[in-house]
Amino acid sequence: MSDYSPFIVFGIITGAIYGLSAMGLVLTYKTSGVFNVGHGAVCAAAAYGFYELRQNQGMPWQLAFLIVVFVFGPIAGLILERLAVVLAPVSTAMRIVGTVGLLVAIRAILDLSFGDVGLVFNPFLSQEEAFTLFDATVSVDDLYTFTAGTVAAIALFLFFRMSRLGVAMRGVVDDPQLLSMSGTAPARVRRASWMIGSSFAAVSGILFAQNQSQLDINVLSLLVVQAFGAATIARFTNLPMAFVGGIIVGVLQAVIGKATGSNEQLQGLGLTVPFLVLFVGLLVIPRKKLVEVGRMVRARPPAASILPPQARIGALCVGLAVLLVIPHVVGAKLPGYNVALTQVLLFVSLHLLVRTSGQISLCHFGFAAVGAAGFGHSANNGAPFFLALLIGGLWCIPLALIVSVPAIRLSGLYLALATLGFGIVLSQFAYSKSYMFGGGQLLTRRPDGFEQDKDYYYLLLAMAIAGVLVVLAVERSRLGRLLRAMSDSPLALTTLGTSVNISRVIVFCISGFLAGISGGLYASLFGGVTQDTFNYVQSLLALAVLAIAGSRTITAAFVAPALLYVVPLYFTQENAAAWLQLGFGLGAIFAAAASQGGVDNWLARGAQRNAARAEGPAGRRMRLSLGGTA
């Protein structure tokens, strides 16, 4: 037991930071109904702001801390509250897309401001003064971290129980009209909760950076996502339990990391504990305890095409002709187009899952990674190219079955979080193992006769078109009708005697298989692939780009990879990639806000106001006297 004592102590300290972050996340979710997937990016932005004020501007750490926590935090909260208001009347899937867009946009802004390399974060709390506790050396900054988390948890508990504003925060989501009738404005309550939650995010971001002694947007985003596990233990509603959940996750992570550190096959398991808690917790928590906060909104079906059938056929023919000509006009940029074509299957499979069936997947690049590994190992063991590609896709089906388990009992937000946890477990634990990429480069090859980029382009184009046709056939089949009905009203479908669960399992398997084929094609392009190729953040970016690409199957399948891989080929200026990422993030937020016709309604209201101003008081009085409306 003495061997584990230091790890338990360090786990408690780290868990206190997880708990702080989780409390801010749970507070904003339970009062607004919008779960902020970009919470980690907000924490990272606060840490970078603290770094700028203290280390670049020479400000005393105490003053920098106060500015970041009590100025930046509330301002960020006010901005996020406005975003939450915009996202409240859209479907859960689009709320997730909007907050993913926020994550992408903040990452891009930090990249533009500070660069994409890690920065040294000088500790601001004393690490020299220390004492021994259960064979563990505890520094003063560790003690401050734990004390801050504990005090904050107790203060929030008392605030919610004893203050008028705290009681109002507890009731703002359940019945905002009743709250308004009692004399308290719901908007003011939500605004206060976002300001408090963002201040908690600022504190946890600074403490994360202090604990890591570095600033890296990828590391900070991942560390804060670990707070999702703590929020799961709190069932996303209980604030004090969110802090306790953080402690539990921190201790489990430290202890399991110690226990498995000497086993080669289990190394890295400790890093995945928060995400395993997230994934398993969503499976075992009773379904009645996982009711989403806020108003449930059905996704609006895609608008009918404004083009007649003949025009649509003509547009498709023109598009195909352009695709056929591309290798002869793009020159040295052709490899980038090849990369985009390998991703058509991934995006069309994600479209089938998200747009058609109403399910959410934040681990699609994890499926692509598994498909790439299956393809590489099969090809290296002598399998012909197309058989190896098929094996790579089939490798993904067991994983799709695993992911479909939470899809059977969960939907919307909780399904998205379960798939996110699953994808991070894959990247943190499985990628480095010998059955995946082995920590190095997995060698791959192209099929015989297609070594040249131009020849391979046409093969990739043929496979992309075939994959899109398969998805179109599925959407027009009985299964496709079931999937659209399941997206619209799963309860009504169940009432008619149709099994929703079977449809969910089938669509995950089809989508995972196609994503695996996409990963195998990508792996074949350059003769080798590594685990760094399939970062979990790419799954979030893919969802954001898919939202921008439109709601039509063919359009989304080709436009989304073009945005992600072709457009950057023509922007070679410094920081162009970061500017494009910023555009993707803002575009995803706009697409989410406009998904239920919000932009159309806003334009209509603006037109009415302009007409009223142009009409003038005399015209309005005459219209009223004739029986019109004001």
Side-chain angles (χ1 to χ4, degrees):
M1 185 63 188
S2 60
D3 293 339
Y4 286 90
S5 298
F7 292 90
I8 294 173
V9 173
F10 294 141
I12 291 173
I13 294 168
T14 304
I17 306 178
Y18 294 163
L20 271 173
S21 181
M23 283 192 293
L25 184 66
V26 170
L27 174 62
T28 54
Y29 172 57
K30 70 181 295 184
T31 55
S32 69
V34 176
F35 189 91
N36 186 13
V37 178
H39 187 74
V42 177
C43 298
Y48 274 91
F50 183 80
Y51 168 88
E52 173 65 23
L53 293 176
R54 185 174 69 99
Q55 292 183 219
N56 289 349
Q57 304 301 326
M59 189 176 293
W61 76 263
Q62 295 90 340
L63 180 58
F65 185 88
L66 291 174
I67 291 175
V68 171
V69 175
F70 296 105
V71 178
F72 168 81
I75 292 175
L78 291 174
I79 296 172
L80 293 175
E81 189 271 337
R82 288 292 88 194
L83 176 62
V85 169
V86 171
L87 296 180
V90 305
S91 66
T92 301
M94 287 296 105
R95 291 177 196 170
I96 295 170
V97 167
T99 57
V100 166
L102 175 69
L103 170 65
V104 173
I106 293 177
R107 285 168 56 89
I109 292 172
L110 294 178
D111 191 351
L112 290 169
S113 302
F114 296 94
D116 58 355
V117 296
L119 301 174
V120 177
F121 187 91
N122 298 328
F124 62 94
L125 296 174
S126 174
Q127 294 183 313
E128 297 180 358
E129 301 179 23
F131 59 93
T132 301
L133 179 65
F134 299 112
D135 298 325
T137 301
V138 180
S139 61
V140 172
D141 68 320
D142 294 333
L143 185 62
Y144 283 162
T145 298
F146 178 75
T147 303
T150 304
V151 170
I154 295 173
L156 266 185
F157 176 78
L158 295 176
F159 172 75
F160 268 81
R161 293 290 178 181
M162 303 178 65
S163 71
R164 177 181 175 83
L165 181 58
V167 174
M169 286 181 180
R170 292 166 58 192
V172 67
V173 172
D174 295 333
D175 198 335
Q177 292 183 345
L178 181 61
L179 185 66
S180 180
M181 291 173 61
S182 68
T184 303
R188 184 174 66 85
V189 175
R190 294 192 185 97
R191 205 170 295 130
S193 68
W194 276 100
M195 293 169 67
I196 296 171
S198 296
S199 295
F200 269 73
V203 173
S204 59
I206 294 171
L207 293 178
F208 270 126
Q210 163 86 4
N211 196 36
Q212 296 294 312
S213 298
Q214 68 170 343
L215 281 177
D216 186 298
I217 180 60
N218 294 313
V219 174
L220 284 173
S221 295
L222 179 63
L223 285 172
V224 176
V225 169
Q226 292 177 342
F228 291 2
T232 305
I233 294 176
R235 296 185 301 199
F236 302 94
T237 56
N238 190 318
L239 280 168
M241 197 60 197
F243 181 73
V244 175
I247 300 294
I248 294 173
V249 168
V251 171
L252 285 175
Q253 186 177 36
V255 170
I256 292 177
K258 161 67 176 173
T260 60
S262 59
N263 188 311
E264 182 178 353
Q265 293 301 316
L266 296 178
Q267 283 181 355
L269 186 61
L271 296 174
T272 68
V273 165
F275 315 113
L276 286 173
V277 171
L278 170 63
F279 187 76
V280 176
L282 291 172
L283 291 180
V284 300
I285 294 175
R287 190 172 182 176
K288 62 182 180 180
K289 300 292 185 181
L290 290 175
V291 178
E292 289 189 38
V293 177
R295 182 164 55 96
M296 296 297 102
V297 180
R298 292 182 181 178
R300 191 171 69 166
S305 176
I306 59 175
L307 296 176
Q310 296 84 355
R312 291 201 297 270
I313 294 174
L316 290 175
C317 292
V318 171
L320 179 60
V322 171
L323 291 172
L324 291 173
V325 171
I326 279 175
H328 303 282
V329 297
V330 298
K333 293 183 173 62
L334 184 57
Y337 283 85
N338 283 345
V339 171
L341 282 180
T342 65
Q343 302 302 299
V344 169
L345 291 179
L346 184 141
F347 278 100
V348 77
S349 67
L350 189 60
H351 181 277
L352 174 68
L353 193 65
V354 176
R355 292 284 193 179
T356 305
S357 72
Q359 307 299 297
I360 303 290
S361 173
L362 296 180
C363 66
H364 237 55
F365 266 85
F367 288 132
V370 172
F375 164 78
H377 286 294
S378 301
N380 291 334
N381 286 319
F385 177 85
F386 292 102
L387 177 60
L389 203 60
L390 178 63
I391 292 173
L394 293 175
W395 268 33
C396 295
I397 292 181
L399 293 179
L401 290 172
I402 295 174
V403 175
S404 67
V405 171
I408 290 174
R409 68 188 304 269
L410 303 173
S411 61
L413 169 65
Y414 299 122
L415 175 59
L417 294 178
T419 57
L420 175 63
F422 186 79
I424 297 177
V425 168
L426 277 178
S427 64
Q428 293 292 302
F429 177 70
Y431 283 5
S432 61
K433 301 299 184 290
S434 59
Y435 48 81
M436 288 283 289
F437 305 107
Q441 186 179 51
L442 178 65
L443 298 179
T444 59
R445 60 177 176 83
R446 295 184 182 184
D448 296 335
F450 293 92
E451 288 80 9
Q452 299 298 317
D453 284 338
K454 185 178 294 186
D455 297 331
Y456 201 31
Y457 172 90
Y458 287 111
L459 176 62
L460 292 174
L461 177 59
M463 298 191 68
I465 293 174
V468 171
L469 290 176
V470 168
V471 171
L472 288 173
V474 170
E475 290 180 340
R476 285 161 172 73
S477 67
R478 181 176 183 273
L479 175 61
R481 293 191 293 273
L482 290 175
L483 294 177
R484 286 190 293 274
M486 181 177 68
S487 174
D488 183 58
S489 179
L491 181 60
L493 197 62
T494 303
T495 304
L496 294 174
T498 304
S499 176
V500 175
N501 295 338
I502 294 177
S503 300
R504 285 172 174 159
V505 171
I506 292 175
V507 72
F508 261 100
C509 289
I510 295 174
S511 184
F513 174 80
L514 292 175
I517 296 292
S518 171
L521 290 173
Y522 182 88
S524 70
L525 280 178
F526 305 110
V529 66
T530 68
Q531 65 185 55
D532 296 331
T533 307
F534 301 98
N535 191 295
Y536 84 95
V537 177
Q538 290 176 288
S539 296
L540 305 179
L541 182 59
L543 186 66
V545 174
L546 182 70
I548 301 172
S551 59
R552 298 292 173 179
T553 304
I554 298 176
T555 305
F558 287 94
V559 171
L563 289 173
L564 201 54
Y565 297 102
V566 175
V567 172
L569 299 175
Y570 296 92
F571 293 88
T572 58
Q573 300 87 349
E574 184 180 4
N575 296 326
W579 282 108
L580 286 173
Q581 297 277 321
L582 178 59
F584 292 152
L586 296 178
I589 295 173
F590 179 83
S595 62
Q596 297 293 121
V599 174
D600 297 338
N601 295 335
W602 179 76
L603 292 174
R605 289 195 297 269
Q608 290 176 354
R609 287 194 296 269
N610 292 334
R613 283 195 293 267
E615 184 182 34
R620 285 197 297 273
R621 286 195 298 270
M622 180 176 293
R623 178 159 45 83
L624 287 172
S625 66
L626 296 175
T629 57

